[in-house]
Amino acid sequence: MVAIDVVEAVAQLSTLVESLDLGRKSEIILTRNGMPVAKLVPFPAPKRIGAARHILASLNLPKTVDEFNAGNEDIADLFR
């Protein structure tokens, strides 16, 4: 945890946000006259598609171009 005065935080806002974004800091406490008044925290990251890997696997999608074009020899010939 880092505590920083609001006036100083205004001057260093981009640096403080970058520290949160890169994970160097987990939270930053903003103070006024030495008393905490606010807290900066990183915004939660969106879920990655890897989290739904099991759903995609259940769709039985073709895994290769040849498998995709197996039903149409004209298209399969274009990829060979």
Side-chain angles (χ1 to χ4, degrees):
M1 175 183 75
V2 174
I4 186 168
D5 189 80
V6 173
V7 175
E8 188 177 339
V10 169
Q12 297 181 18
L13 185 60
S14 62
T15 303
L16 296 174
V17 170
E18 182 178 10
S19 294
L20 292 169
D21 190 36
L22 296 175
R24 287 184 261 172
K25 305 286 186 221
S26 60
E27 65 180 31
I28 299 169
I29 304 297
L30 302 179
T31 62
R32 184 177 292 132
N33 299 324
M35 299 299 296
V37 294
K39 177 170 48 173
L40 293 176
V41 295
F43 195 78
K47 300 287 183 193
R48 294 182 179 254
I49 194 163
R53 187 175 298 149
H54 65 283
I55 295 171
L56 294 175
S58 70
L59 294 178
N60 295 323
L61 297 173
K63 298 188 180 18
T64 66
V65 171
D66 288 333
E67 186 180 328
F68 180 78
N69 296 318
N72 188 329
E73 286 302 314
D74 293 332
I75 293 176
D77 289 338
L78 293 173
F79 285 94
R80 293 187 185 126

